[in-house]
């Protein structure tokens, strides 16, 4: 496979876009993504943090310690992955990571791979979705995306501007994709409005270095609180009603209790911080 370094956005030539490679390289190695060439985009995607504007090439490690970054986003980065991964992994790559559903990662021919069955629904789904899980029960793994959705952040790509929430879509029979990103579309920058207060809380299997079983981001702006969850739906989940509206599977109802407790704690933290 050829590896090229792009020095302008005109030099992508249909290659697979590579940032830190912490997600793409394992997917390639395991045959979950195929391509003839890789294009390293780190030279053409902005990286700095300038007030509300954050380059999509910024690493999670850079975000977690920058005081310009709202608390919810800093904490979501700090609690993600391991220090080594956060040193390499970028904001853009984090938003576009694939599901951790073990059936999908083992390349079972499930619905998300274009097949006609969701193996998790009938099989092992302890870590799967409790919302919007009727077609595909995968749980979105990005702490960072949930924080950005709660913060009402927007994205600038080489083709358009959109909210972070609009980057994601639920997969359907006709279209199995979980993002709205077009072929050759590159995320360049994220704009994060400064909230009055924000917080990110995360429940994990271990105390550190694990994907969210449930992550809860809450942000208050102009007296209005937005709450978004990680690990509970196939996409980052903006909570518009009560957690009780969840439709858990037989072996993941515990996530409803965890989500309720974290939402309660996040709201209390916004009151007192
Ligand atoms: C063991 C492990 C644990 C992890 N734990 C967590 C966790 O707890 N919480 C969490 O949120 N994340 C977690 N992650 C995910 C990690 O944060 C991501 O792998 C990382 O941020 C991806 O960034 P990258 O630059 O390495 O992306 P890459 O691997 O380079 O790319 C990932 C995908 O994004 C695309 N892409 C990258 N940048 C752009 C861009 N600017 N525009 C368009 N497309 C782009 C690539 O083409 C590819 O499809 C974990 C990962 C691992 C391997
Ligand atoms: S949850 Fe989604 S990714 Fe996992 S087996 Fe079901 S359809 Fe596939």
């Amino acid at each position: 496979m050829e590896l090229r370094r792009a020095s302008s956005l005109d030099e992508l030539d249909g290659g697979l876009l590579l940032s830190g490679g912490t997600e793409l390289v394992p997917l390639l190695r395991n045959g979950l993504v195929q391509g003839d060439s890789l294009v390293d985009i780190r030279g053409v995607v902005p990286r700095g943090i300038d007030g509300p504007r954050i380059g999509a090439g910024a690493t999670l490690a850079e975000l977690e310690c920058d005081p310009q970054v709202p608390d919810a986003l800093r904490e979501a980065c700090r609690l993600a992955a391991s220090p080594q991964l956060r040193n390499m992994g970028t904001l853009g790559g984090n938003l576009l990571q694939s599901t951790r559903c073990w059936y999908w990662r083992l390349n079972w021919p499930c619905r998300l791979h274009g097949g006609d069955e969701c193996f998790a629904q009938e099989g092992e789904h302890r870590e799967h979705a409790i919302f919007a899980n009727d077609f595909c029960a995968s749980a979105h793994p990005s702490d960072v995306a949930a924080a950005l959705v709660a913060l009402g952040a927007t994205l600038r790509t080489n083709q358009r501007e959109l909210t972070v929430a609009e980057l994601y879509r639920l997969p359907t029979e006709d279209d199995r994709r979980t993002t709205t990103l077009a072929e050759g579309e590159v995320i360049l920058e994220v704009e994060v409005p400064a909230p009055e207060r924000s917080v990110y809380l995360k429940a994990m299997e271990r105390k550190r270095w694990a994907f969210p079983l449930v992550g809860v981001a809450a942000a208050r702006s102009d007296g209005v609180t937005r709450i978004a969850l990680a690990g509970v739906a196939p996409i980052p989940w903006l909570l518009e009603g009560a957690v009780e509206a969840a439709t858990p599977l037989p072996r993941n109802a515990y996530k409803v209790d965890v989500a309720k407790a974290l939402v309660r704690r996040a709201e209390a933290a916004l009151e007192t911080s």
Side-chain angles (χ1 to χ4, degrees), residues 16-27 41 45 56-57 60 76 79-82 85 88-97 100 141-144 181 185-188 202 209-212:
L16 295 169
L17 308 181
L18 179 78
S19 292
T22 60
E23 167 75 334
L24 185 56
V25 171
L27 292 178
I41 55 173
V45 172
L60 303 193
L79 292 174
S82 64
L85 286 160
M88 287 302 291
T90 62
L91 178 57
N94 181 285
L95 296 182
L96 295 170
Q97 60 182 295
R100 306 308 296 189
S142 171
D143 297 297
V144 176
L181 207 73
E185 187 169 9
V186 184
I187 300 176
L188 298 173
K202 177 174 179 180
W209 306 353
F211 286 97

Side-chain angles (χ1 to χ4, degrees), residues 48-63:
I49 302 170
D50 182 11
R53 293 166 58 177
I54 301 174
T59 64
L60 303 193
E62 287 164 346
L63 291 170

Side-chain angles (χ1 to χ4, degrees), residues 38-184:
L38 282 172
V39 188
D40 186 336
I41 55 173
R42 283 175 296 181
V44 295
V45 172
R47 182 165 178 169
I49 302 170
D50 182 11
R53 293 166 58 177
I54 301 174
T59 64
L60 303 193
E62 287 164 346
L63 291 170
E64 74 182 86
C65 61
D66 193 311
Q68 300 176 83
V69 175
D71 290 348
L73 181 54
R74 264 195 296 133
E75 190 65 0
C77 292
R78 189 181 75 81
L79 292 174
S82 64
Q84 293 87 342
L85 286 160
R86 298 199 298 274
N87 273 329
M88 287 302 291
T90 62
L91 178 57
N94 181 285
L95 296 182
L96 295 170
Q97 60 182 295
S98 299
T99 176
R100 306 308 296 189
C101 172
W102 32 70
Y103 298 103
W104 189 90
R105 292 262 162 183
L106 291 169
N107 221 348
W108 285 39
C110 72
R111 286 188 182 141
L112 215 56
H113 278 307
D116 53 17
E117 202 176 330
C118 171
F119 299 101
Q121 286 169 344
E122 295 299 321
E124 192 42 64
H125 51 238
R126 192 178 169 277
E127 296 186 9
H128 284 68
I130 54 171
F131 288 100
N133 52 8
D134 50 334
F135 183 77
C136 159
S138 60
H140 201 271
S142 171
D143 297 297
V144 176
L148 290 174
V149 169
L151 288 159
T154 52
L155 298 175
R156 185 171 65 81
T157 76
N158 56 343
Q159 299 183 14
R160 60 184 168 148
E161 285 186 13
L162 67 164
T163 64
V164 173
E166 289 166 343
L167 176 64
Y168 299 102
R169 63 179 301 283
L170 287 168
T172 60
E173 184 71 39
D174 297 336
D175 185 346
R176 310 295 168 101
R177 292 171 310 148
T178 54
T179 77
T180 61
L181 207 73
E183 194 77 21

